[in-house]
Amino acid sequence: MIIPDCVCVCVQALRMAMELDVFVGNTTIMDEEVYQLWLDGYTVTDAVSMRVRSGILEQWGACQAVLESDTTDHYRTFQMAERLLHCPSKLANQLLFQIPPQRQAMLIERYYAFDPAFVRELLGKKLSKGTKKDLDDVSTKTGVTLKSCRRQFDNFKRVFKVVEEMKGPLVENIKQHFLLSDRLARDYGAIVFFANIRFETGKKKLQYLNFEDFAFCAGQLIQNWTVGAVDSMVEDMDVDLDKEFLQDLKELKILITDKDMLDQHKSLVCTALRGKIQVFAEMEANFKNLSRALVNIAAKLMHTKDVRDFFIDLVEKFIEPCRSDRWVLCDVKAFLTQYMNSARALDAFKQQAIWERYMTVIRSCILKMYHE
C-alpha cells in the first residue's frame, strides 16, 4: 500500500510534537552561574564538567546532552552581548536582547569585576601591548585563566582610554560612562591613577601589600594631592598630581634643617606622647631620623622618579625602621598624629597649609600599609 506524502508529514509532525516542548518568549534568559564560568575563561567542555559536578543533572532530572546544549547556547548569547558590554550604555538602548534593568546591572558589574591577585600584578604598569604579551606568565602565577586575564586587561585599558580624555572627577566619570557601582568605580579609578603615574609596586619589599592597600592610598592621593583637590574645573584633575604643590613641598625642609625648630618639634611630640606609647624610648632616640625621612620624601617628590618610588620610600625609610623597633599600629598612629599636629605650635613654621595637605596623605597611607 502506498502511503500519501501528506500522511507521512503528519505522522512525522506528530512524533515531533510528542518529543518537543516549545516555549516562545522575548526575555533573554541568562544563567548567572554559567555567565561566571564564561567570565572566568572556561571552555564549554570545562563549564559542562563543572556544572555536572555541582549536581545540576540530578537537581533538574536532565541528561548531559541537554546540559551541553544549554551551556553552548548561553556561551553563544554572552559572546553576542559582549560588544555591548564594552560600552554599557548601549545595553539599555538596544533591541536584540530583552534584558531587565537589574539583570543588565549584574551583567555589567560582573563583566568589569576583576581578580585582586591579577590586578596586583599589573598595578602601576603601562597598559601596553608589551604588558599584554606577558599575561601568560601572570596567568600561571595567579591561577587566573589566560582568557580571563585578557578580558580584565582589555577592560582596564578601555576604561583608561575613555576617561583620560574626559574632564571632571575621575571616579565619577568612570561610574557614569561604564555604569559601575561606587566601589568598583573607585577601584578602577585607582587602577587608572596608578597606570598614569606609574608607581613602583613590584619590588620585593612591597609584595606584602595587596590591591586594597594600594587602592586606599590612591584614593587619598586623588582627594588631596591632585589638581582637582583644589580646582574642580581643571582638565585631567584627578589623573595628574598637582605639580605646584609638589614643588612647594621642598619648603618643608626647614623642619629638619633648622636645628632649633627640629629640637622644638621633638620636644612637643615627646611631651605629648610620654607614657602613652610602648616604644617611647625608641621613638625619642630615633625621632630625628624619622622626621628627616618623612620630610625628605616630601622634598624629593618634585622629581618623577621619586614620585614613582613613593611607596617603596615609605616602606624603607619609615615603616621598616618602626617595625625593627617593634612599634605596634596604635603607637604608629599616635606618633604620626602628634608629629603632624605639633607642627602647628611652631611659631617660625609658616608652611602649615602645605604641611597639613602633605601629612594627611602620609599618615593615612602609612597606617594602611603598616601590617602587624
Side-chain angles (χ1 to χ4, degrees):
M1 183 176 78
I2 299 176
I3 300 175
D5 291 341
C6 60
V7 175
C8 291
V9 171
C10 288
V11 171
Q12 189 174 8
L14 181 60
R15 287 176 178 167
M16 290 179 66
M18 293 172 65
E19 294 174 1
L20 298 177
D21 290 324
V22 179
F23 174 79
V24 178
N26 66 347
T27 300
T28 304
I29 298 175
M30 294 183 173
D31 186 288
E32 292 187 28
E33 292 182 5
V34 181
Y35 183 52
Q36 191 60 54
L37 291 170
W38 178 73
L39 290 175
D40 289 341
Y42 293 109
T43 64
V44 171
T45 302
D46 290 337
V48 169
S49 297
M50 297 174 78
R51 296 184 78 189
V52 168
R53 288 196 295 272
S54 72
I56 194 171
L57 294 182
E58 293 79 7
Q59 181 182 352
W60 295 103
C63 65
Q64 184 155 333
V66 172
L67 186 64
E68 290 175 356
S69 178
D70 177 69
T71 306
T72 301
D73 185 56
H74 271 92
Y75 268 51
R76 188 181 301 113
T77 301
F78 299 145
Q79 288 161 3
M80 292 171 64
E82 186 169 18
R83 61 181 179 81
L84 298 172
L85 291 168
H86 291 172
C87 185
S89 59
K90 291 182 178 180
L91 196 60
N93 301 316
Q94 51 80 39
L95 300 176
L96 181 60
F97 302 103
Q98 301 301 308
I99 307 172
Q102 283 187 321
R103 184 54 60 91
Q104 289 183 27
M106 180 277 293
L107 293 173
I108 295 167
E109 192 79 359
R110 288 201 184 183
Y111 187 79
Y112 283 91
F114 52 80
D115 291 271
F118 172 73
V119 72
R120 177 65 183 86
E121 292 297 315
L122 265 64
L123 201 60
K125 293 183 179 179
K126 190 174 182 180
L127 300 176
S128 62
K129 291 181 179 178
T131 303
K132 191 171 184 178
K133 288 180 181 178
D134 295 333
L135 292 184
D136 298 67
D137 296 333
V138 177
S139 174
T140 301
K141 183 176 180 179
T142 61
V144 179
T145 66
L146 181 57
K147 188 173 182 181
S148 181
C149 286
R150 287 172 176 163
R151 173 183 61 81
Q152 294 178 57
F153 177 87
D154 289 341
N155 285 346
F156 299 157
K157 189 170 183 177
R158 183 181 310 110
V159 173
F160 183 91
K161 287 293 184 183
V162 169
V163 299
E164 73 171 341
E165 302 298 334
M166 297 177 73
K167 300 178 182 179
L170 174 61
V171 174
E172 190 62 27
N173 284 341
I174 293 172
K175 182 181 175 182
Q176 294 299 323
H177 189 86
F178 291 94
L179 309 181
L180 304 180
S181 65
D182 290 340
R183 174 64 183 272
L184 193 54
R186 285 197 299 271
D187 285 346
Y188 267 90
I191 293 167
V192 169
F193 184 68
F194 268 69
N196 182 63
I197 304 295
R198 305 279 301 283
F199 287 108
E200 173 59 61
T201 66
K203 293 288 180 66
K204 186 176 181 180
K205 290 184 178 182
L206 297 177
Q207 290 307 302
Y208 78 97
L209 296 170
N210 56 36
F211 171 73
E212 183 185 351
D213 296 326
F214 283 119
F216 173 84
C217 293
Q220 293 296 307
L221 290 161
I222 290 171
Q223 292 170 29
N224 294 283
W225 287 7
T226 59
V227 179
V230 291
D231 188 351
S232 61
M233 300 304 292
V234 178
E235 294 185 32
D236 298 331
M237 60 185 226
D238 286 348
V239 178
D240 297 317
L241 294 175
D242 184 350
K243 293 181 180 179
E244 184 176 343
F245 166 67
L246 298 183
Q247 288 285 339
D248 291 342
L249 287 175
K250 64 180 182 292
E251 297 177 15
L252 300 181
K253 290 203 74 172
I254 191 173
L255 283 170
I256 57 175
T257 56
D258 186 312
K259 186 179 183 303
D260 291 338
M261 191 177 295
L262 178 59
D263 290 340
Q264 187 182 358
H265 195 190
K266 176 181 177 179
S267 177
L268 289 168
V269 174
C270 290
T271 299
L273 294 180
R274 191 179 302 275
K276 295 181 181 179
I277 61 174
Q278 299 175 21
V279 291
F280 180 83
E282 291 83 352
M283 181 277 295
E284 186 177 32
N286 207 28
F287 178 88
K288 292 183 179 180
N289 289 333
L290 294 175
S291 185
R292 289 190 185 101
L294 293 174
V295 173
N296 282 329
I297 289 173
K300 294 195 304 177
L301 287 175
M302 68 181 76
H303 306 297
T304 301
K305 182 184 183 303
D306 292 302
V307 170
R308 291 177 179 174
D309 288 340
F310 175 68
F311 294 102
I312 194 70
D313 284 343
L314 287 182
V315 170
E316 289 182 344
K317 298 176 181 179
F318 186 88
I319 292 175
E320 285 186 342
C322 290
R323 277 182 182 157
S324 66
D325 283 340
R326 302 185 183 281
W327 290 42
V328 295
L329 183 60
C330 61
D331 290 340
V332 177
K333 183 176 182 180
F335 171 78
L336 289 173
T337 300
Q338 288 302 326
Y339 179 74
M340 175 179 172
N341 294 342
S342 295
R344 297 170 185 162
L346 300 173
D347 295 334
F349 185 54
K350 305 301 182 183
Q351 293 77 20
Q352 296 292 345
I354 300 170
W355 175 250
E356 297 277 343
R357 188 178 176 187
Y358 172 68
M359 280 304 301
T360 295
V361 171
I362 293 297
R363 178 182 178 276
S364 296
C365 288
I366 288 176
L367 293 179
K368 186 66 175 178
M369 295 165 64
Y370 200 90
H371 292 193
E372 292 184 296

